[in-house]
Amino acid sequence: DSGVTQTPKHLITATGQRVTLRCSPRSGDLSVYWYQQSLDQGLQFLIQYYNGEERAKGNILERFSAQQFPDLHSELNLSSLELGDSALYFCASSVGGSGDGYTFGSGTRLTVV
Amino acid sequence: EDQVTQSPEALRLQEGESSSLNCSYTVSGLRGLFWYRQDPGKGPEFLFTLYSAGEEKEKERLKATLTKKESFLHITAPKPEDSATYLCAVLTIGGSQGNLIFGKGTKLSVKP
């Protein structure tokens, strides 16, 4: 157990729908990162939050959004889902905002049908 | 543009047959290079961080090395349980963000 908790583990939904993925960081970590892993693309950085504030943005679609709450857990919202959004979504956390000591969660597998 | 390339894409070894995985990188400035192991359907598991050229780190049958342009993950006398995808990632200098740039990984299969 890495200490980073992601729920749900699996999610199946239809095109056009909206889902929310949740991440609880490791105790003491202030930064949360979201990554998408598809079969052909590998791990792609989506967005980073540090202590409640957005710190960096990667290739995140406009249909996707995220936030980090005062208790430091984070949610990734995916809307108007398309078949191509099917992927593994990983959350990672670190103590500081500059990436050292990264720890990944076990991921949420999203299947859009 | 910062880039990480791993080779080979896939590697099949017999148990006990040592080999090396390569990670070459092109970045504006390297803050750190990370190696992860990922099993199917699981999250990446941290193995090593290397910070400067010439640095080496070891863990059981694995040894990671770093030069100014690439890193190698050497696997000595591998066992079937070493079968996994090995990911390389870099953390770049500049800005306040901490996102890693990943290569696409090397899928290692070790046959008994």
Side-chain angles (χ1 to χ4, degrees), chain A residues 49-98:
Chain A
Y49 279 82
Y50 176 75
N51 204 20
E53 300 286 329
E54 183 183 303
R55 177 66 69 93
K57 247 181 179 178
N59 297 323
I60 187 166
L61 299 172
E62 285 191 13
R63 301 184 284 109
F64 296 1
S65 65
Q67 54 184 327
Q68 187 179 27
F69 294 86
D71 67 352
L72 300 178
H73 91 271
S74 178
E75 293 181 355
L76 179 67
N77 301 297
L78 315 176
S79 61
S80 303
L81 285 166
E82 302 174 359
L83 296 177
D85 297 326
S86 296
L88 273 165
Y89 290 84
F90 288 104
C91 167
S93 71
S94 67
V95 173
S98 54

Side-chain angles (χ1 to χ4, degrees), chain B residues 29-108:
Chain B
L30 181 70
R31 190 190 300 172
L33 185 140
F34 296 71
W35 282 98
Y36 285 87
R37 169 193 170 125
Q38 186 175 26
D39 293 301
K42 302 283 181 65
E45 176 189 341
F46 172 78
L47 294 174
F48 305 107
T49 307
L50 302 166
Y51 293 101
S52 56
E55 190 175 359
E56 299 183 351
K57 288 193 176 172
E58 282 188 74
K59 180 181 178 180
E60 297 180 358
R61 294 177 292 282
L62 300 176
K63 178 180 176 180
T65 62
L66 181 65
T67 72
K68 288 187 177 179
K69 294 182 180 179
E70 58 191 349
S71 176
F72 291 93
L73 185 65
H74 307 278
I75 302 177
T76 302
K79 298 182 177 182
E81 53 262 42
D82 294 323
S83 298
T85 295
Y86 290 84
L87 300 170
C88 170
V90 297
L91 188 62
T92 60
I93 292 172
S96 56
Q97 59 266 35
N99 55 289
L100 295 176
I101 302 168
F102 279 87
K104 293 192 175 182
T106 293
K107 185 174 182 179
L108 174 65

Side-chain angles (χ1 to χ4, degrees), chain A:
Chain A
D1 182 10
S2 68
V4 179
T5 304
Q6 290 189 247
T7 57
K9 291 193 183 306
H10 303 276
L11 200 49
I12 302 175
T13 189
T15 54
Q17 295 298 305
R18 173 189 169 95
V19 297
T20 297
L21 312 183
R22 183 189 168 102
C23 169
S24 293
R26 200 174 44 171
S27 178
D29 286 357
L30 299 178
S31 257
V32 169
Y33 311 80
W34 287 97
Y35 285 81
Q36 179 191 57
Q37 187 176 40
S38 54
L39 280 174
D40 56 343
Q41 285 295 319
L43 273 159
Q44 299 285 316
F45 170 68
L46 295 178
I47 196 163
Q48 176 195 359
Y49 279 82
Y50 176 75
N51 204 20
E53 300 286 329
E54 183 183 303
R55 177 66 69 93
K57 247 181 179 178
N59 297 323
I60 187 166
L61 299 172
E62 285 191 13
R63 301 184 284 109
F64 296 1
S65 65
Q67 54 184 327
Q68 187 179 27
F69 294 86
D71 67 352
L72 300 178
H73 91 271
S74 178
E75 293 181 355
L76 179 67
N77 301 297
L78 315 176
S79 61
S80 303
L81 285 166
E82 302 174 359
L83 296 177
D85 297 326
S86 296
L88 273 165
Y89 290 84
F90 288 104
C91 167
S93 71
S94 67
V95 173
S98 54
D100 295 321
Y102 251 75
T103 302
F104 280 85
S106 56
T108 293
R109 180 176 293 279
L110 173 66
T111 304
V112 182
V113 298

